[in-house]
Amino acid sequence: MADNMKQYILGMDIGTTSVKVCIYDYHTKEVIANQNKDTAANIPSDQGIEGNKQDVPKIVSAVHFCVSRLPRDLLKHVTKIGICGQMHGVVLWKNEAWEKIEKDGVVIRFEGTRENMSALYTWQDTRCKPEFLETLPKPDSHLKCYSGYGCATLLWMLKHKPEKLKQFKYAATVQDFIVTMICDLDTPIMSDQNAASWGYFNTEKKEWNRDILQSIHFPVELLPKVAKSGEIAGKLNMSWNGIPAGTPVGVALGDLQCSIIATLEDSQDAVLNISTSAQLAFVVDKISNFSSNTIEHLPYINDTYLVVAASLNGGNVLATFVKMLQQWMLEFGFPIPQSKVWEKIIALGLDAQELPTMKINPLLLGERHAPTMKAMAENIDLSNIQLGSVFKSLCDGLIENLHCMMPKEILQSANIKRIVGNGSGLSRNPVLQKAVERFYNLPLEFTSGGDAAKGAAIAVKF
């Protein structure tokens, strides 16, 4: 193909644990290059285990690492940039929150300046206890506001750290911050997907609940402008690692929506994504009534909605189990790599022929609808304490929890014929895969779809 015919889109996913980027060929519909980098961005919180914060400059550094390692001969043909990331979280900043490192008039990299921004308060933050949330007014929205949601976190800060809140001029999700930075926007622009993830946003009117928030003295000037998903937020301010200046950048989207854009092949498919957390979702044209407090309707694309059961407990629970085993062995003086632990427990779980009799409720992080719930195990006896049986019971518990949130009858009523799997937590774990098919009585298949970075690239065309 002639150079002037090439049309590539840079897709980027600012995830909870890593940054992933790809170059998507608009004509062939294929990813032709990709990179990823663990952010290692978690930092201690003064709220102890109830707080969950990340260092934004480390995330910015991971973005640079990934983009700078993509082939320059491909980057120069990038015609659009699509970005998505972890929803719900909030980062605050003031002017000069980043600096551009330039060479010969070209931006080599961006760097965040810690003194001019807060940490990222993530979706896993649990500082907003039920007692606090109960004091807040009811949102004018079909969506509730939970701990870890941007508006809830800001309202907590308004009550407990008002002076800190006054230091900052802007607030948004971390993916919105990245868009603001590379476009050098005066103020952040947020998609309706990310706005809905903050709470106090009416998805049908597409506007913030300003009057409600003002009534409790919320600093509404911090609320970003909102644009429709798929719209352009701005243009690349300068040439960046070979990407031409002026390249349009889409308003940042939610990582869940983008992973589904990349994965969904048919209207009769549901998508099960298990990475850090776990979500089961399918697409509907309008908000429907399932009479359930464990299912939400999230804005998707083209004015449609995702029906979602979003669990806080997914790959993070299994990873914690593996780290626990690893730590136990270390205390006995036998260090074992995590990869070996995974390999062994999956093999043992597959060898465990009987259906699990031990019941593990895996809610290490509680759930948004039940924040005080904790993990527990029951029906333990001499026949089910082998490692393979325990791991199989844990995998079963994760899927049974999802099934309680979104029973198979809901999928049947929506005429869902198969479940499409996504996320490394599911694709690498055949024990978990078997549990999905057993609980939902539907085939589980993996497509060539891809991840949220690819979805972000595709979505910027809409």
Side-chain angles (χ1 to χ4, degrees):
M1 186 185 293
D3 275 4
N4 60 359
M5 294 292 289
K6 292 178 180 177
Q7 283 187 301
Y8 300 149
I9 304 172
L10 177 69
M12 187 183 304
D13 173 26
I14 315 295
T16 305
T17 57
S18 65
V19 169
K20 297 175 183 174
V21 301
C22 72
I23 295 179
Y24 176 76
D25 189 321
Y26 177 82
H27 295 289
T28 66
K29 312 294 189 237
E30 292 180 353
V31 170
I32 56 175
N34 54 55
Q35 288 285 340
N36 66 83
K37 169 76 171 170
D38 286 349
T39 55
N42 285 351
I43 52 177
S45 167
D46 59 1
Q47 298 302 304
I49 61 171
E50 293 177 354
N52 193 283
K53 301 197 303 186
Q54 293 187 342
D55 183 71
V56 178
K58 282 189 175 181
I59 295 171
V60 172
S61 177
V63 169
H64 164 69
F65 178 94
C66 292
V67 175
S68 66
R69 280 159 177 76
L70 291 170
R72 289 297 180 98
D73 61 328
L74 300 181
L75 288 172
K76 70 181 182 182
H77 295 295
V78 167
T79 58
K80 285 183 182 177
I81 299 173
I83 296 175
C84 71
Q86 50 175 305
M87 295 188 291
H88 309 297
V90 55
V91 56
L92 299 119
W93 70 93
K94 49 193 174 183
N95 292 334
E96 299 179 358
W98 63 84
E99 59 178 326
K100 292 178 278 194
I101 309 302
E102 300 177 32
K103 184 178 181 181
D104 301 327
V106 175
V107 176
I108 301 172
R109 68 181 184 275
F110 293 90
E111 290 184 355
T113 52
R114 289 182 179 86
E115 60 269 23
N116 292 327
M117 68 170 70
S118 73
L120 167 65
Y121 300 86
T122 81
W123 60 273
Q124 296 182 104
D125 194 282
T126 59
R127 71 186 63 216
C128 297
K129 294 299 167 196
E131 305 78 50
F132 171 74
L133 294 172
E134 285 167 8
T135 68
L136 304 180
K138 186 177 183 295
D140 174 24
S141 172
H142 70 281
L143 297 169
K144 296 179 180 179
C145 188
Y146 296 105
S147 189
Y149 283 28
C151 282
T153 302
L154 292 172
L155 284 165
W156 185 95
M157 293 180 72
L158 180 65
K159 180 177 180 179
H160 296 282
K161 297 187 176 184
E163 293 307 313
K164 182 170 185 177
L165 202 55
K166 290 176 183 176
Q167 296 176 24
F168 300 105
K169 192 175 180 181
Y170 312 105
T173 69
V174 66
Q175 56 268 30
D176 299 316
F177 175 80
I178 298 295
V179 170
T180 306
M181 179 182 72
I182 66 175
C183 295
D184 203 18
L185 299 177
D186 291 333
T187 58
I189 300 175
M190 183 183 268
S191 68
D192 52 357
Q193 292 179 5
N194 284 323
S197 82
W198 263 26
Y200 290 96
F201 180 80
N202 188 302
T203 62
E204 293 169 292
K205 297 177 183 176
K206 292 190 170 24
E207 60 184 33
W208 296 106
N209 298 168
R210 286 182 178 272
D211 291 345
I212 294 173
L213 291 170
Q214 280 179 321
S215 73
I216 50 174
H217 310 295
F218 182 97
V220 293
E221 64 275 7
L222 287 176
L223 295 171
K225 299 175 184 175
V226 178
K228 190 175 178 180
S229 299
E231 290 185 356
I232 300 301
K235 295 182 178 180
L236 199 60
N237 183 251
M238 297 179 70
S239 176
W240 178 39
N241 283 292
I243 304 172
T247 299
V249 181
V251 62
L253 305 180
D255 53 358
L256 171 62
Q257 287 89 338
C258 286
S259 69
I260 289 174
I261 289 168
T263 306
L264 201 65
E265 293 184 343
D266 190 280
S267 61
Q268 293 182 318
D269 289 345
V271 175
L272 174 58
N273 179 68
I274 300 181
S275 46
T276 303
S277 53
Q279 304 91 20
L280 179 61
F282 57 90
V283 180
V284 293
D285 292 329
K286 58 185 179 181
I287 297 173
S288 45
N289 180 20
F290 289 111
S291 301
S292 171
N293 67 342
T294 59
I295 292 174
E296 294 186 307
H297 289 71
L298 305 184
Y300 188 45
I301 52 174
N302 299 331
D303 295 319
T304 59
Y305 285 86
L306 285 180
V307 178
V308 184
S311 172
L312 299 177
N313 301 278
N316 47 9
V317 171
L318 297 176
T320 301
F321 180 72
V322 166
K323 288 176 185 173
M324 179 185 74
L325 294 176
Q326 190 183 31
Q327 182 63 32
W328 285 357
M329 295 306 296
L330 186 61
E331 288 171 3
F332 279 112
F334 301 103
I336 301 178
Q338 276 193 30
S339 58
K340 292 292 185 184
V341 180
W342 277 110
E343 184 182 323
K344 189 65 175 178
I345 61 174
I346 287 174
L348 291 172
L350 290 172
D351 286 343
Q353 298 297 322
E354 300 297 323
L355 289 177
T357 54
M358 181 190 297
K359 293 290 184 184
I360 297 181
N361 183 341
L363 304 188
L364 275 181
L365 298 168
E367 290 291 8
R368 293 190 176 107
H369 62 275
T372 59
M373 286 286 289
K374 302 297 180 188
M376 65 181 77
E378 58 184 351
N379 202 39
I380 304 169
D381 61 31
L382 292 174
S383 71
N384 58 22
I385 55 175
Q386 297 79 16
L387 183 54
S389 296
V390 174
F391 182 67
K392 192 171 184 177
S393 296
L394 179 57
C395 290
D396 259 41
L398 284 172
I399 303 306
E400 184 173 10
N401 179 54
L402 264 181
H403 187 264
C404 289
M405 296 175 70
M406 186 184 285
K408 62 185 176 185
E409 290 76 15
I410 288 180
L411 299 189
Q412 290 167 356
S413 69
N415 204 27
I416 299 299
K417 301 299 185 187
R418 71 167 179 169
I419 296 174
V420 180
N422 194 33
S424 58
L426 183 61
S427 63
R428 299 175 185 173
N429 188 342
V431 181
L432 205 55
Q433 294 166 23
K434 289 178 182 294
V436 173
E437 294 188 327
R438 193 165 64 253
F439 276 96
Y440 281 98
N441 198 28
L442 285 171
L444 172 67
E445 299 177 11
F446 292 87
T447 68
S448 58
D451 56 21
K454 177 182 175 182
I458 297 170
V460 80
K461 305 201 309 293
F462 284 102

